[in-house]
Amino acid sequence: MTRVRRLGHATFSSLRNRNYRLYFIGQIISVSGTWMQRLAQSWLILDLTHSGVALGIEAGLQFLPMLLFGAWGGVLADRVDKRRLLYVTQIAAGLLALVLGLIVSLHAAAVWNVYLLSIALGFVNVIDNPARETFVLEMVGRDELQNAVALNSVVMNSSRVIGPAIGGVVIAVIGLAPCFYLNAASFAAVLVALAMMDSTKLQRVPTVPRAKGQLRDGFRYVWSDRMVRTPLLMMAVIGTLAFNFSVVIPLIATNVFHQGAGGFGGLTSVLGAGAVLGALAAASRQGISYRRLLGLAVAMGVSILAAAAAPSLTLEIVALFFMGAASFAFIATANTTIQLTTRPDMRGRVMALYAIAFLGSTPVGSPIVGWISQQFGPRIGFAVGGVAALVSAGAAAVSLARVRDERDARERRAGMVDARAA
């Protein structure tokens, strides 16, 4: 029992921080609304088009601004108070959800205006993502960062369970529009949490003065440090080809297992349940471990391939659960590894590049995976992501082995110099 208590204490240690606790509660409510909207928006596009390609385009358009302008969001996060930025982004995202609900209620929804609102939300996320990722460090400090990042992943993925489960019921019983209205209202929870925080307890990182060449400096820094560059490149490959669950799972649900909105929401919830377990496991870990990062990438690749091959709905549910656990433990570990390895004055820009690698790659990957799924079946679309995860893990292992060999060679040369001096 003492061991269990110690594990629970380590797993939830950052929640002792009042500011982070407020943020955590607000995020649970808000992100649940976000996942409800994602389910409803995917279902809306399928209802309007019956096309996997259109579904992939919609997912891609939401992240296109991140791909094109995400690095500038990181520059802004390094220059401006992050709490103030979050006020702006939460209000903007809530208004966009409200507009989407209104056009559905007024029977004015069309592919073009759903696409337009997806792009608008993408521009909000350009600013929101690096500000939100780096604000966690200001709330909890370096010692609790890994735990807080993992618990953030718990929020994201418990919301994958709660949001789609509620969304599937709401769509079936009431309709699509209430999903968007509920999401718009959910952003108030984050605004209240931000307002209730004790600003004197925030460990603010000094803002970087405006200067020319800051974006270029960020790229140069990342490329010069292989320990930062390698996990970022892994995220770029995996984000492009593997993290297209919002495209593949609805097609698996409808085309392979012949499920409706409730079944689609159920499969998404199973993925989220596994993700919660994976994130909790990551929260109990401490320190940076590249071996752990590579192992999780391999586990993710294997579980995605299992989901692609599952012959029955029951086995698909099992595979999705393990896929969620491995995938989102990988995300939490990669996020922490990159933040703790990065110089403080570069953190906003580096985390913006992380968001580009993870989210901004979606405009490239989603239409590709959507097309593959439509032409060759969603099982093949899934399998492409599994292979990508395994290949990226192998390439990263080779790159990190070179870093280790170079370090060992430097240590041997330093030892020889010391021996001669003696």
Side-chain angles (χ1 to χ4, degrees):
M1 185 64 71
T2 302
R3 186 175 180 181
V4 172
R5 284 188 188 137
R6 191 180 300 117
L7 180 61
H9 182 79
T11 302
F12 299 100
S13 59
S14 58
L15 289 177
R16 294 196 302 270
N17 182 303
R18 180 179 178 273
N19 283 343
Y20 180 71
R21 191 164 62 247
L22 287 168
Y23 180 81
F24 183 85
I25 294 169
Q27 285 289 99
I28 288 176
I29 297 170
S30 178
V31 180
S32 293
T34 297
W35 279 108
M36 186 189 304
Q37 172 161 322
R38 288 188 182 180
L39 175 81
Q41 199 159 326
S42 295
W43 200 254
L44 176 60
I45 288 292
L46 276 178
D47 186 54
L48 291 171
T49 67
H50 306 287
S51 168
V53 173
L55 191 64
I57 291 172
E58 187 276 327
L61 287 176
Q62 184 170 323
F63 300 108
L64 181 63
M66 183 70 70
L67 177 64
L68 299 178
F69 305 105
W72 290 106
V75 172
L76 188 62
D78 281 334
R79 288 178 179 174
V80 182
D81 181 84
K82 297 167 185 60
R83 189 180 176 201
R84 291 180 183 176
L85 280 181
L86 290 174
Y87 275 118
V88 174
T89 59
Q90 299 307 295
I91 292 170
L95 290 174
L96 290 173
L98 179 61
V99 170
L100 190 50
L102 287 172
I103 67 170
V104 172
S105 292
L106 296 171
H107 305 288
V111 173
W112 72 268
N113 54 29
V114 177
Y115 282 177
L116 184 63
L117 288 168
S118 293
I119 293 173
L121 182 60
F123 276 105
V124 173
N125 288 332
V126 164
I127 301 171
D128 181 75
N129 269 284
R132 183 160 36 85
E133 296 285 1
T134 52
F135 186 58
V136 173
L137 181 62
E138 295 193 357
M139 285 186 285
V140 302
R142 286 185 63 86
D143 291 345
E144 294 289 352
L145 178 64
Q146 180 161 343
N147 182 261
V149 166
L151 290 182
N152 273 356
S153 189
V154 171
V155 170
M156 289 295 296
N157 296 298
S158 60
S159 301
R160 279 178 177 266
V161 178
I162 298 167
I166 296 173
V169 173
V170 170
I171 293 170
V173 176
I174 306 174
L176 283 170
C179 291
F180 303 117
Y181 293 137
L182 288 169
N183 183 41
S186 73
F187 287 99
V190 180
L191 293 172
V192 170
L194 291 170
M196 291 178 64
M197 286 182 185
D198 183 351
S199 59
T200 64
K201 298 291 180 64
L202 294 175
Q203 303 177 43
R204 287 193 171 97
V205 176
T207 55
V208 177
R210 184 185 181 94
K212 290 183 178 180
Q214 289 177 326
L215 182 61
R216 184 173 59 251
D217 290 344
F219 283 111
R220 187 183 296 119
Y221 168 74
V222 167
W223 196 253
S224 66
D225 190 332
R226 191 178 292 175
M227 303 303 284
V228 176
R229 186 177 77 222
T230 298
L232 274 175
L233 290 176
M234 286 182 71
M235 284 304 309
V237 173
I238 290 172
T240 300
L241 296 173
F243 273 97
N244 293 291
F245 304 147
S246 64
V247 175
V248 181
I249 290 178
L251 296 174
I252 285 279
T254 56
N255 296 355
V256 176
F257 296 111
H258 311 293
Q259 300 293 303
F264 170 30
L267 289 179
T268 307
S269 296
V270 168
L271 175 72
V276 170
L277 177 65
L280 286 172
S284 66
R285 301 282 187 168
Q286 293 183 349
I288 296 171
S289 172
Y290 286 91
R291 181 176 296 178
R292 186 188 312 145
L293 184 68
L294 297 177
L296 287 170
V298 171
M300 177 172 59
V302 171
S303 59
I304 291 174
L305 290 175
S312 67
L313 183 59
T314 300
L315 290 176
E316 183 69 28
I317 288 170
V318 173
L320 286 177
F321 181 84
F322 284 104
M323 185 180 83
S327 299
F328 290 90
F330 170 79
I331 291 174
T333 303
N335 185 308
T336 304
T337 300
I338 293 168
Q339 285 215 57
L340 291 180
T341 307
T342 301
R343 273 173 27 202
D345 62 310
M346 289 287 178
R347 193 169 286 123
R349 278 162 281 185
V350 170
M351 293 312 293
L353 293 175
Y354 170 83
I356 292 172
F358 178 36
L359 302 174
S361 57
T362 302
V364 179
S366 289
I368 292 172
V369 172
W371 180 83
I372 291 171
S373 298
Q374 184 161 303
Q375 295 298 315
F376 305 104
R379 292 187 185 277
I380 302 300
F382 243 160
V384 167
V387 172
L390 293 174
V391 169
S392 68
V398 171
S399 178
L400 294 171
R402 289 177 182 169
V403 174
R404 185 186 62 236
D405 292 343
E406 290 168 2
R407 182 192 60 205
D408 292 345
R410 285 195 301 270
E411 290 176 353
R412 284 195 298 270
R413 286 195 297 269
M416 292 172 62
V417 170
D418 291 341
R420 289 171 184 169

